[in-house]
Amino acid sequence: MNVLATRIGKLELESPLLTASGTFGHDPAALSFLQPGDLGALVLKTVTPEAREGNPNPRMCEWPGGVMNSIGLENKGLAYWREHVAPQLAVCPVPVVANAGGHDLEEYGVMTAAFDAMQGVAAIELNLSCPNVKGGTQFSTDPDALMEVVELCRKQTAKPLWVKLSPNVAAIAPLAQAAEAAGADGLVVCNTVLGLLVDWRTRKPRLGNGFGGMSGPAVRPVALRMVWDCFRASKLPIIASGGASSADDVLDFIVAGATAVQVGTASFRRPDAISRMATELRAILAENDFTLDSLRGSLEWPTPVSCAGAASRTS
Ligand code: SIN
């Protein structure tokens, strides 16, 4: 029996460990870092209808808490993707999740319909939360706007539709509920945390675009809080994303309510991180006779619950 087998809605996965969007390649060379059965799904970098050049350099820098990026959704656009990337996906050994971006409602609809038509795409993640582009969070900070875009995209596809939420909000629960009401199949919780690193010597930000999105260990407590808030607010499966680099981190997210966990920054440091985590995870589950299902959402919260914006889960 595969103790890591996981289901996100109707999508069956061999493992709860996924790549985080934009942090891993999709070609055989990239996948050769991982052992079969360790990766549940490959989540690819955001694609937009038109090509984008991205933000000025430098676009990434490290700090003791992790990484800060401001890539700016650089990508070659839908036409290139359809011709050059999509054909390779049909032979990918794991389910592929395509990630859609856009400037406005119409562009999200176009991307969703395009991915829906691609045989190699198993699920669609809507990137409604990039902090590095103008308007990148317009749909993930206002529940009405989020509902509108998810409803529109829902009409374009019967494939699993995941919504990647932003941590850069005061309360995430109303956004999780809006996504659920609009027909989403899963919540990705969450994108990077907006931040700023400066170099006092040059008097300049360390990133070419000024602000950037923080990822890595320092954002884990933020992501955990948001996973727990979403778990109590919505019945949708939650795909946690935020600084996981060990099996213990993964199990923390599962106990807080996650069904799966995306790994990003840890793979930059070690491209085999997901396989190391999967091996560790199997050993911990076997040693303790736990299952992922029995641990999910089992966090025992000191009463009374007092997090702002979180409604209670009814079952
Ligand atoms: C980027 O391309 O700027 C990062 C992707 C994101 O934050 O959504």
Side-chain angles (χ1 to χ4, degrees):
M1 189 186 112
N2 175 12
V3 293
L4 297 191
T6 300
R7 200 166 55 80
I8 304 176
K10 60 186 179 187
L11 191 64
E12 308 270 355
L13 306 177
E14 280 196 78
S15 158
L17 302 178
L18 281 55
T19 58
S21 173
T23 61
F24 216 84
H26 62 271
D27 55 355
L31 290 165
S32 69
F33 285 107
L34 303 178
Q35 298 304 313
D38 292 346
L39 178 67
L42 189 64
V43 185
L44 298 181
K45 174 79 179 159
T46 303
V47 187
T48 53
E50 303 303 327
R52 294 195 191 185
E53 284 187 3
N55 289 338
N57 285 315
R59 293 170 167 190
M60 282 188 82
C61 56
E62 281 191 88
W63 69 293
V67 165
M68 182 88 97
N69 93 80
S70 181
I71 308 297
L73 299 184
E74 181 195 342
N75 75 97
K76 292 183 169 155
L78 175 57
Y80 178 93
W81 214 83
R82 192 183 266 124
E83 188 179 348
H84 298 280
V85 181
Q88 302 169 30
L89 301 181
V91 293
C92 189
V94 292
V96 172
V97 182
N99 180 303
H103 283 301
D104 52 30
L105 279 174
E106 192 191 334
E107 291 201 351
Y108 278 100
V110 166
M111 289 309 308
T112 305
F115 288 148
D116 181 70
M118 292 177 193
Q119 203 200 337
V121 171
I124 301 167
E125 179 176 277
L126 297 179
N127 184 359
L128 302 182
S129 48
C130 176
N132 302 325
V133 293
K134 191 162 178 284
T137 55
Q138 62 181 319
F139 295 110
S140 59
T141 47
D142 171 1
D144 292 337
L146 184 135
M147 197 178 290
E148 201 178 359
V149 71
V150 177
E151 271 173 357
L152 177 105
C153 294
R154 178 74 286 167
K155 289 186 187 129
Q156 313 302 318
T157 187
K159 290 184 178 176
L161 185 65
W162 301 348
V163 174
K164 188 163 184 178
L165 295 174
S166 173
N168 303 304
V169 292
I172 200 164
L175 294 145
Q177 289 165 338
E180 184 171 15
D185 298 302
L187 301 170
V188 181
V189 184
C190 48
N191 210 313
T192 54
V193 177
L194 187 63
L196 173 68
L197 290 174
V198 301
D199 180 348
W200 69 269
R201 292 174 182 81
T202 60
R203 316 287 202 276
K204 289 192 175 136
R206 287 180 59 195
L207 291 173
N209 199 44
F211 297 125
M214 283 164 53
S215 61
V219 307
R220 206 167 64 243
V222 177
L224 269 166
R225 170 173 67 88
M226 300 213 145
V227 166
W228 177 236
D229 277 352
C230 288
F231 178 70
R232 288 179 299 161
S234 150
K235 290 198 171 62
L236 289 179
I238 296 166
I239 303 108
S241 184
S245 64
S246 69
D248 285 319
D249 297 343
V250 171
L251 291 170
D252 288 349
F253 276 121
I254 303 255
V255 164
T259 295
V261 178
Q262 295 185 348
V263 179
T265 303
S267 298
F268 286 145
R269 292 196 200 283
R270 289 201 60 125
D272 62 351
I274 286 177
S275 271
R276 293 161 66 94
M277 292 161 76
T279 303
E280 241 185 287
L281 203 47
R282 285 188 196 96
I284 296 177
L285 292 173
E287 268 164 37
N288 296 282
D289 205 17
F290 288 140
T291 65
L292 294 175
D293 282 344
S294 68
L295 290 171
R296 183 165 307 107
S298 60
L299 182 63
E300 293 175 19
W301 191 258
T303 50
V305 174
S306 61
C307 282
S312 61
R313 198 174 174 95
T314 48
S315 67

